[in-house]
Amino acid sequence: MDTRHVIDTFVDFFTSRGHQRITGSSLLPPPGDPVLFTTSGMHPLTPFLEGRPHPLGGRLVNVQRCLRTTDLDEVGDPSHLTVFEMLGSWSLRSYDGPQSLRWGYELLCDGFGVDPGLLHVTVFGGDDQVGPDVGSLETWRSLGVPVELTGSENWWSNGPTGPCGPDSEMFVWTGDGPPTGTPTTDDRWMEVWNHVMMRYRRHEDGGLTPLSDSTVDTGMGLERLLMFLQGKRSVFETDLLSPWVDGLPWDVSEPRLVVDHLRSGVVVIGDGVTPSTTGRGYVLRRLLRRTLTTLWRENGSYTLSDLPEPLVRSTLTHFDQRSDRVFDVLEEEERRFRSLVTRGRGVVSRYRDPLTEQDFRYLHETHGLPRDLVVLLRDL
């Protein structure tokens, strides 16, 4: 199944069951939201998960693009990306958690053709405040899916206070042989879908009170699902990302980092952000300069102007973005960074190896030279 087929299958499944599709069309949260970027499919729906009626009703589905800077250092492994997409479904006081799990099983096995023998799930096993999630446990046992009971790993909260509750995570087996172990004992079990049952509110004193009406929030990573369905070893081998890997015009030792950061940068620019020294613009600047640092460590003549235009256009089309300014932004940021490198080379050359933490801090705070750039300048 290619990307378009997977998305359509997911959305059609839930719309045929009374869910209304909502837009997930921007990385930028609404005005007044303190976060820089949308980090999950549920984030824009927080007010409705807390009780406000949604204008489209109690059953919703969407595809939300997200950005997480917390994963920057993990980019390059088989499954982490900076910009990614979440397939989400919601019950706002419409149906319960067991119904959501049954539909999840049906979609994975019948809709996407996943072998039930390659499934394993985890369920909240209880703690000193709340007992085991019996409804989820009985549902999975009735479906014949093996269950592992856990503690805090299957308890979801949106912060120290507010709505929270048990969740049930669905895993698929990615190993070569028959499944072995459990999700917490064998990392070849890859999580693809989480179903959160928000049944409680946590207060400042740590106490819990049951909510009068519970909600269900589910989220499934599109790229990880594609990786499994297409039989690939990493998200970078899927039909969504392999054109970037194959189309890079440069010979680099870290192609996954370059692909992730450049593609993410294109999407951020497509949502109207420009590089700057603070906020969203600084995140974009960091992505682009980490890319350039990686490229120039290989060859100082590499330039973003060599990026094939079809790669950029296909990404903008996938995210329904229309921007004619992407290359202008990329080239202007490269010009600024190259100027900084030229100036910084003379500054860094005055220091002897090994550089101390105090040296790195002074170079950053006084001369605006981040650690990655300083290390690059020492290598050039």
Side-chain angles (χ1 to χ4, degrees), residues 28 82 124 219 266 273 282 310 347 362 370:
L28 309 186
T82 303
F124 181 67
V266 167
V273 179
Y282 180 71
V347 174
Y362 179 81

Side-chain angles (χ1 to χ4, degrees), residues 295-355:
L295 292 178
W296 292 344
R297 187 174 288 119
E298 305 282 347
N299 188 321
S301 67
Y302 285 163
T303 174
L304 297 183
S305 61
D306 291 334
L307 186 64
E309 185 174 347
L311 286 180
V312 174
R313 295 300 172 194
S314 65
T315 296
L316 294 173
T317 299
H318 173 77
F319 288 102
D320 198 24
Q321 296 172 313
R322 299 290 184 270
S323 176
D324 297 325
R325 53 194 287 274
V326 171
F327 276 98
D328 290 339
V329 173
L330 293 178
E331 291 169 9
E332 173 61 18
E333 184 60 17
E334 179 180 335
R335 184 192 66 76
R336 288 175 177 270
F337 191 47
R338 196 176 287 278
S339 175
L340 179 61
V341 167
T342 301
R343 178 175 60 83
R345 185 180 284 111
V347 174
V348 174
S349 66
R350 298 197 291 267
Y351 287 76
R352 294 181 179 180
D353 285 328
L355 294 177

Side-chain angles (χ1 to χ4, degrees), residues 178-256:
T180 62
T182 66
T184 65
T185 63
D186 194 320
D187 60 11
R188 289 174 293 180
W189 287 106
M190 181 177 70
E191 180 193 344
V192 291
W193 205 353
N194 190 16
H195 293 240
V196 178
M197 282 65 79
M198 280 176 271
R199 299 170 180 161
Y200 301 91
R201 179 176 296 278
R202 188 176 297 280
H203 304 283
E204 291 185 359
D205 63 1
L208 296 172
T209 55
L211 297 173
S212 56
D213 294 300
S214 64
T215 61
V216 183
D217 157 36
T218 86
M220 177 159 55
L222 171 63
E223 296 82 3
R224 287 189 179 190
L225 180 63
L226 290 172
M227 171 182 159
F228 177 77
L229 294 179
Q230 296 176 9
K232 304 301 183 181
R233 291 295 184 182
S234 82
V235 295
F236 296 93
E237 298 173 18
T238 65
D239 73 302
L240 182 62
L241 289 165
S242 61
W244 272 87
V245 176
D246 297 337
L248 285 184
W250 316 287
D251 182 16
V252 292
S253 60
E254 297 183 80
R256 290 179 177 179

Side-chain angles (χ1 to χ4, degrees), residues 6 10 14 62-64 84-89 104 107-108 112 170 191-195 217-226 229:
V6 168
F10 182 86
F14 282 102
N62 85 343
V63 183
Q64 174 68 52
F84 59 95
E85 293 176 88
M86 291 295 289
L87 307 172
S89 66
L107 177 55
L108 278 184
F112 292 128
M170 305 176 70
E191 180 193 344
V192 291
W193 205 353
N194 190 16
H195 293 240
D217 157 36
T218 86
M220 177 159 55
L222 171 63
E223 296 82 3
R224 287 189 179 190
L225 180 63
L226 290 172
L229 294 179

Side-chain angles (χ1 to χ4, degrees), residues 32-313:
D33 194 312
V35 302
L36 294 178
F37 294 100
T38 297
T39 58
S40 67
M42 61 78 60
H43 184 86
L45 291 171
T46 299
F48 307 104
L49 294 169
E50 293 182 341
R52 182 190 303 175
H54 195 283
L56 294 180
R59 299 186 179 191
L60 308 173
V61 62
N62 85 343
V63 183
Q64 174 68 52
R65 60 177 174 264
C66 309
L67 185 152
R68 291 182 186 169
T69 57
T70 53
D71 291 340
L72 278 183
D73 291 332
E74 295 180 336
V75 167
D77 74 4
S79 61
H80 283 90
L81 295 166
T82 303
V83 166
F84 59 95
E85 293 176 88
M86 291 295 289
L87 307 172
S89 66
W90 291 269
S91 165
L92 305 179
R93 298 157 289 280
S94 177
Y95 53 85
D96 61 12
Q99 177 63 74
S100 181
L101 298 180
R102 287 191 292 269
W103 277 341
Y105 177 84
E106 181 183 350
L107 177 55
L108 278 184
C109 297
D110 296 340
F112 292 128
V114 176
D115 180 352
L118 300 179
L119 292 179
H120 206 305
V121 300
T122 57
V123 168
F124 181 67
D127 59 18
D128 58 358
Q129 288 184 289
V130 179
D133 183 4
V134 176
S136 296
L137 179 61
E138 292 180 345
T139 299
W140 288 125
R141 285 178 173 171
S142 71
L143 293 170
V145 180
V147 179
E148 180 180 21
L149 294 175
T150 75
S152 60
E153 297 93 336
N154 281 106
W155 184 268
W156 184 94
S157 61
N158 196 29
T161 61
C164 56
D167 64 61
S168 183
E169 299 172 350
M170 305 176 70
F171 293 79
V172 292
W173 177 251
T174 62
D176 292 327
T180 62
T182 66
T184 65
T185 63
D186 194 320
D187 60 11
R188 289 174 293 180
W189 287 106
M190 181 177 70
E191 180 193 344
V192 291
W193 205 353
N194 190 16
H195 293 240
V196 178
M197 282 65 79
M198 280 176 271
R199 299 170 180 161
Y200 301 91
R201 179 176 296 278
R202 188 176 297 280
H203 304 283
E204 291 185 359
D205 63 1
L208 296 172
T209 55
L211 297 173
S212 56
D213 294 300
S214 64
T215 61
V216 183
D217 157 36
T218 86
M220 177 159 55
L222 171 63
E223 296 82 3
R224 287 189 179 190
L225 180 63
L226 290 172
M227 171 182 159
F228 177 77
L229 294 179
Q230 296 176 9
K232 304 301 183 181
R233 291 295 184 182
S234 82
V235 295
F236 296 93
E237 298 173 18
T238 65
D239 73 302
L240 182 62
L241 289 165
S242 61
W244 272 87
V245 176
D246 297 337
L248 285 184
W250 316 287
D251 182 16
V252 292
S253 60
E254 297 183 80
R256 290 179 177 179
L257 185 147
V258 173
V259 166
D260 172 83
H261 284 16
L262 261 185
R263 180 175 177 270
S264 297
V266 167
V267 179
V268 173
I269 295 170
D271 272 346
V273 179
T274 55
S276 67
T277 57
T278 61
R280 298 185 182 106
Y282 180 71
V283 173
L284 174 58
R285 171 160 287 170
R286 188 181 178 200
L287 288 169
L288 297 182
R289 292 189 174 185
R290 279 171 61 106
T291 300
L292 289 166
T293 296
T294 302
L295 292 178
W296 292 344
R297 187 174 288 119
E298 305 282 347
N299 188 321
S301 67
Y302 285 163
T303 174
L304 297 183
S305 61
D306 291 334
L307 186 64
E309 185 174 347
L311 286 180
V312 174
R313 295 300 172 194

